[in-house]
Amino acid sequence: MLVQNATQIMTLDEFTVHQLRLFPHATGELSHLLRDIGLAAKRISADAIKAGLVGVLGEAGLRNVQGEDVKKLDVLANEQLIAALRKGVSCAGVGSEESDQVLIFDDHKSNQSKYVVLFDPLDGSSNIDNNISVGTIFGVYRRTTAPGSPATDADFLQPGTRQVAAGYVLYGTSTMLVYGTRRGVNGFTLDPAIGEFCLSHPDITCPSNGNTYSINHGNFFQYPAGVRHYITDIQRWNEFNPDSYTERYVGSMVADLHRTLLKGGLFLYPGTKERPEGKLRLLYECNPFAFLFEVAGGLATSGPSRILDIIPTKLHQRTPLFIGSKEMVTEVSSYL
Ligand code: P6P
């Protein structure tokens, strides 16, 4: 457990260097990669907090009231992440929600890099116009191909168990970067006064149980019978045991899952009759969160399978998702 006092709050860079000392043989490449993501996050945050003023609201391609071409904030976020990771020394290529194919950096420096990164640059971006929190989600993998040559598609189609790190950035009332390795999950809050992410939530653990469930009730009659039974059983229990459960649903995955990670609870995005595979993407939405929740003591399944065990076949494939407190995920799984 890291102990800090107010004058020595640890920055993200100091924290990753501190972690490095625990692994004498580490090259520092992962620390550099996390610093690169942190840099991109600061730039995205600077645009997100004044979205109404920098011509990113409304539909891309239109001109805003200032006569500027509207460029969707998720496009800007995508460009910032690619630029930061391409310029760094740790990433051989990226897979992004914004790009049909993976982007192999294929230059001498990048080809020597050990890692590839999968990310959703700005998940929930449709919420930007309503000033609702949005987020960046990322997962880091060691290449399966040998450094020295360009990365290949195979480097990106690995099961989530092979992530070496994962995390998210929440652009909310404050901007937080939460990332985890197998050693633990830690949260950093951006201090705009000094432009640094500062350790604010050390050693995050997900409560083993919770009283909040999070689902889009609008699709209720589209869900599998087991999901409907679980929800109605909760509602019946609440009728005779008031306030035992509450429902919270932002409609922005990073916001809903950040709350679930810190406070406990269950987030459900099941498959439906129309879309049995669900809506959320396996590689750069579900896998990073599944990794974080499992390291923090939670669980994440697709219903039949542990999310992290799913062998991907396509970059943008989707999966149903049940994620949160271990006891709640276990309970809902008994209904499926
Ligand atoms: P629905 C946002 O569009 C998103 O991808 C996630 O951030 C969010 O959890 C989900 O979709 C919300 O989907 O169908 O409930 O609007």
Side-chain angles (χ1 to χ4, degrees):
M1 177 72 175
L2 282 166
V3 180
Q4 307 180 82
N5 64 43
T7 59
Q8 293 169 350
I9 287 186
M10 196 173 271
T11 68
L12 175 64
D13 289 358
E14 289 166 334
F15 180 85
T16 52
V17 169
H18 179 277
Q19 294 293 302
L20 205 51
R21 290 205 188 106
L22 304 174
F23 298 94
H25 305 297
T27 62
E29 267 196 60
L30 184 58
S31 303
H32 287 303
L33 190 145
L34 291 163
R35 183 196 59 195
D36 297 339
I37 291 174
L39 175 62
K42 291 181 207 175
R43 290 175 170 154
I44 296 165
S45 176
D47 283 338
I49 60 174
K50 54 183 182 182
L53 302 175
V54 290
V56 293
L57 293 184
E59 290 308 310
L62 302 180
R63 297 176 78 79
N64 63 20
V65 293
Q66 290 85 4
E68 297 158 333
D69 289 337
V70 172
K71 196 170 191 180
K72 296 296 279 183
L73 199 58
D74 45 9
V75 172
L76 285 173
N78 191 51
E79 291 170 355
Q80 293 290 8
L81 280 159
I82 291 171
L85 289 167
R86 186 195 292 271
K87 191 172 167 210
V89 296
S90 312
C91 183
V94 298
S96 168
E97 190 266 350
E98 288 289 322
S99 313
D100 289 344
Q101 308 296 327
V102 298
L103 175 61
I104 309 295
F105 291 155
D106 193 7
D107 59 66
H108 178 70
K109 169 183 65 68
S110 303
N111 290 348
Q112 308 298 322
S113 303
K114 281 197 298 195
Y115 300 111
V116 294
V117 182
L118 285 144
F119 57 72
D120 184 349
L122 205 71
D123 180 79
S125 52
S126 55
N127 292 302
I128 279 273
D129 292 6
N130 313 322
N131 204 14
I132 289 170
S133 301
V134 291
T136 296
I137 311 167
F138 63 90
V140 183
Y141 294 79
R142 192 171 284 104
R143 294 173 57 172
T144 55
T145 50
S149 56
T152 67
D153 283 2
D155 289 315
F156 297 87
L157 295 178
Q158 301 184 56
T161 46
R162 296 220 191 116
Q163 289 174 108
V164 294
Y168 59 88
V169 184
L170 178 59
Y171 309 101
T173 41
S174 62
T175 293
M176 269 195 78
L177 186 150
V178 175
Y179 90 88
T181 64
R182 294 254 170 244
R183 290 185 52 78
V185 179
N186 292 278
F188 301 81
T189 298
L190 182 61
D191 180 345
I194 59 172
E196 291 285 1
F197 280 106
C198 300
L199 183 62
S200 53
H201 296 68
D203 295 322
I204 295 173
T205 56
C206 180
S208 61
N209 209 340
N211 64 357
T212 301
Y213 70 103
S214 186
I215 190 168
N216 180 340
H217 275 281
N219 299 326
F220 180 82
F221 290 105
Q222 280 258 352
Y223 293 141
V227 173
R228 299 200 306 276
H229 292 157
Y230 174 77
I231 293 171
T232 48
D233 280 357
I234 280 182
Q235 292 166 334
R236 280 201 196 95
W237 178 263
N238 248 17
E239 181 184 3
F240 302 104
N241 305 273
D243 303 329
S244 298
Y245 288 95
T246 191
E247 196 265 347
R248 288 284 181 276
Y249 191 71
V250 178
S252 182
M253 184 181 193
V254 178
D256 280 319
L257 289 188
H258 181 65
R259 179 198 62 244
T260 305
L261 180 65
L262 295 188
K263 306 293 185 190
L266 175 65
F267 175 87
L268 309 87
Y269 206 106
T272 60
K273 292 171 193 165
E274 189 184 320
R275 294 166 81 171
E277 74 285 1
K279 173 181 183 183
L280 302 178
R281 311 287 187 167
L282 172 64
L283 290 186
Y284 42 76
E285 291 176 338
C286 299
N287 268 339
F289 274 110
F291 179 87
L292 288 174
F293 270 83
E294 286 206 6
V295 172
L299 279 183
T301 76
S302 63
S305 313
R306 180 182 177 227
I307 290 286
L308 295 179
D309 287 338
I310 299 174
I311 307 291
T313 52
K314 290 183 290 187
L315 181 61
H316 300 291
Q317 72 185 71
R318 303 172 193 265
T319 176
L321 178 66
F322 303 85
I323 187 169
S325 296
K326 180 174 283 189
E327 291 177 34
M328 293 186 81
V329 175
T330 302
E331 184 185 21
V332 73
S333 301
S334 67
Y335 283 74
L336 302 177

